[in-house]
Amino acid sequence: MTELLTSAQMRANEHAAIASGEVTGLELMERAGRGVVDAIFEHWWTYRQRPHRAVILCGPGNNGGDGYVVARLLRDLNWDVTVFALGDPERLPPDALTNYNRWVETGRVAPLTLANYDAYSDAHGPADLYIDALFGTGITRPVTGDAWEVLGRLVGMGQGMGVGPVVAVDAPSGLCMDSGRLLGAEGAYAWGLNQFAALTVTFDCPKVGHYLADGPGLCGRLAVVDIGIQKWRGQYVVGKAAQSVWLAEMTPDDLGARAVTLPVKQAWHAHHGQTHKYSHGHAMVVTGGEGHTGAARLAARGALRIGAGLVTLAVPGPAMPEVAAQITAVMMREISDARALDTVLEDERLNALCIGPGLGFGPARADLVRAVLQAKRPTVLDADALTLLAEHEELRDLLHDGCILTPHGGEFARLFPDIAAKLTAPRLPKPSDSQSADLAAHNAYRSALAAQTGPAYSKVDAVREAAKRAGCTVLLKGADTVIARPEGAAVVHAAVYDRAAPWLATAGSGDVLAGIMTGLLAMGQTSVQAAAGAVWMHTECARAFGPGLIAEDLPEQIPTVVKALVK
Ligand SMILES: NC(=O)C1=CN([C@@H]2O[C@H](COP(=O)(O)OP(=O)(O)OC[C@H]3O[C@@H](n4cnc5c(N)ncnc54)[C@H](O)[C@@H]3O)[C@@H](O)[C@H]2O)[C@@H](O)CC1
Ligand SMILES: Nc1ncnc2c1ncn2[C@@H]1O[C@H](COP(=O)(O)OP(=O)(O)O)[C@@H](O)[C@H]1O
Ligand SMILES: [K+]
């Protein structure tokens, strides 16, 4: 899996690399700047054909240093390059200063003010390319003043004829790379979240904030450039695996014997014997009552398609005819109450359980959740089961390490109201109009802005806190889905960039997700593997089908996606 770093981890890697004596900071900066230019040429082949005109905004730190390298490399290719510098360049850190000095041997730098920027734009019209090298991983507080206003001017660039796109170096400036939240809250830049950079070029590893919250919208597309420090990556991880964050993906191994493509004889040896349906597990999904069994049926279909050997629906008596009329390969058992469910669960071969989709509410349903939790099997708790957990503290006390909670934002807020409040709290009080007569409110806003510091509280922080409290795996859904374990290991799955599938937000899609996850648990996956593999598969199925998707289509796409995966 790809590791996602925080800013602090990236700095630690860089320090370790430089401390080794095998590479200098200046070399890394040169590789970074060259990587940005290469990525630009890879994305827009027309820029390779002839020189163009670029505007580069350089900040007061090493992100600005990268900008000076880009300026020099483009100018060496005969580009017309204009550089605006924020702050006093003479106070740049050493490597950035070296690159500034190299640039000014032949190029010019204008102070970054709104007046200078506007005067340039009025005189020359739009540039062919804008480079944002103001701030990268060193951002600690909101960008303010003229720099913020100029960033606002760049919103929407690249969207009109003859107007060049914005390329962000490492990240759009002001983006908190740990949380994906933009520090600062008003003005064109903050409001133009999906119309800023066309391309963001980052170094070594993607960062967590490139995948969460506002990050993908601001970044546009993401390119990761190898600057040769992977050897030092992970030194900070020793003994601290809990701090790492991974990007969700799925490999053929995650599908085990069901995906084996070896010749039959080899496959037989690889699995030490003949496999039969029970060796792929037996999942059970509990349905709701009459007229409410569709959600659980969708989940069961997901579990069966992903590869569980057997899938049984646990159905209240009155709902049996309805379920019987709708299923074939999926089996059913009558469970009229929690006692009946206890009895059914005495069968140890039922090795993964799912409860919640379409379940309904009230004491009898809460008793079913209790029976499922007391069975202590790998269990997915979704939808109504999550609301029941929020209502009944004694049910929360029964959660165990093998549980996965799969809330969407609303269910998460019901289960963990204080944590959700931290995540959704407005970053700042409501901005007041600068013309406002209410000077006190305006001043309060200004001081809140000045006091805001990064890194901001992130979805990863929130889900880690929730998992620790619940004592089990928690998966918080969305276009950015975060999975965390109580000890802190976290996985991010983002249906963004070239994996965007907004049509996945359709009724019943979450039920299929819960089912795929239950199937993977039945097949012997750990809870993190099952959760990460399921969200990945769920999105791939949506992508394979395309717009127009309804939840029923998702399980039926699984064979196509698996075939492509194991090829
Ligand atoms: N970490 C690495 O391995 C590498 C980092 N490189 C570049 O270095 C960057 C990080 O450089 P730095 O650590 O110098 O940080 P930045 O260049 O991101 O910014 C840091 C400077 O801005 C100031 N600052 C922070 N927030 C501010 C605000 N809101 N308003 C005004 N000033 C503010 C800080 O006090 C500091 O002086 C990366 O993003 C990347 O572009 C590359 O050169 C290649 C290697
Ligand atoms: N913009 C989006 N892009 C991709 N997936 C999304 C997006 N919004 C929501 N999803 C996914 O769609 C599913 C919806 O699940 P859920 O909210 O439980 O709905 P339901 O209860 O109707 O099934 C989740 O897996 C969620 O992560
Ligand atoms: K930047």
Side-chain angles (χ1 to χ4, degrees), residues 215-236:
L218 269 169
C219 291
R221 302 182 77 179
L222 186 66
V224 184
V225 166
D226 181 4
I227 55 168
I229 60 169
Q230 59 275 56
K231 181 160 126 190
W232 293 278
R233 200 189 293 163
Q235 295 198 350
Y236 58 85

Side-chain angles (χ1 to χ4, degrees), residues 282-331:
H282 188 170
M284 173 169 270
V285 183
V286 180
T287 77
E290 247 177 315
H292 299 279
T293 64
R297 283 187 279 111
L298 278 171
R301 188 84 185 165
L304 194 62
R305 274 282 186 220
I306 194 65
L310 302 102
V311 180
T312 296
L313 284 163
V315 190
M320 297 273 287
E322 165 185 327
V323 172
Q326 300 274 357
I327 58 172
T328 38
V330 169
M331 301 175 294

